[in-house]
Amino acid sequence: METSQSCRGHPGYKNYKPYEIVVKQRIAKWGFLRARIGRPQLASWIIPICAVQIVCSWYSQIVYRRNRRFMMDEHREVHNRLHPLYKHEELKYRYLEDEELRMNTNRAAMELGDEFDFDELKIYHYPERHPDMTITAQAGILGPK
């Protein structure tokens, strides 16, 4: 009688492949995790650290945007409350525009031969129109009105 190399014909007897026998020996020696998965490598530490860092950055962005929105709302309320006090503050920085307005007005007065004195107290008001002047529609880019 010839002996077979496999034990498939025997009921209840498990026929392990050679690598399964090696894995079972490693499990017995080192335990399941090290035998089946292996030793912790560099990626085992880097990937969880990267995941924690990304989640923390998301949280910090949420907190930053929430605080920024809160501060912007506070600033808006303060500016709305203080607007009557400071609404003319920008006029201090319009010196060159006012100078240009004054110069153009003086030039127009010289062309008309008028002795016009630009009132310094009414610097933000345009000179009044003479009541005898007729108002004519100006021709725009679409032609006369």
Side-chain angles (χ1 to χ4, degrees), residues 3-69:
T3 57
S4 65
Q5 291 185 335
S6 72
C7 304
R8 290 186 188 276
H10 300 278
Y13 187 81
K14 181 77 171 107
N15 184 18
Y16 292 108
K17 295 177 175 58
Y19 73 89
E20 291 177 339
I21 296 172
V22 172
V23 168
K24 285 194 172 295
Q25 289 173 346
R26 292 174 56 141
I27 289 174
K29 185 174 182 181
W30 293 318
F32 179 80
L33 285 178
R34 188 168 172 198
R36 298 298 291 180
I37 297 172
R39 282 179 284 178
Q41 299 295 319
L42 187 60
S44 302
W45 299 103
I46 289 180
I47 292 175
I49 289 173
C50 289
V52 168
Q53 185 178 13
I54 290 170
V55 170
C56 289
S57 70
W58 289 345
Y59 177 72
S60 67
Q61 278 297 309
I62 290 170
V63 170
Y64 176 79
R65 288 178 183 170
R66 184 191 65 200
N67 293 345
R68 182 83 175 156
R69 194 175 302 122

Side-chain angles (χ1 to χ4, degrees), residues 91 94-103 123-124:
L91 300 179
R94 292 182 49 194
Y95 175 72
L96 292 177
E97 297 175 14
D98 298 332
E99 195 66 32
E100 183 182 7
L101 175 66
R102 187 183 296 116
M103 188 177 65
I123 192 169
Y124 301 116

Side-chain angles (χ1 to χ4, degrees), residues 69-87:
R69 194 175 302 122
F70 182 73
M71 285 193 324
M72 287 172 65
D73 292 344
E74 274 187 350
H75 290 174
R76 189 179 304 113
E77 291 175 6
V78 170
H79 291 171
N80 290 343
R81 185 172 56 83
L82 296 178
H83 177 69
L85 297 178
Y86 293 103
K87 64 182 177 182

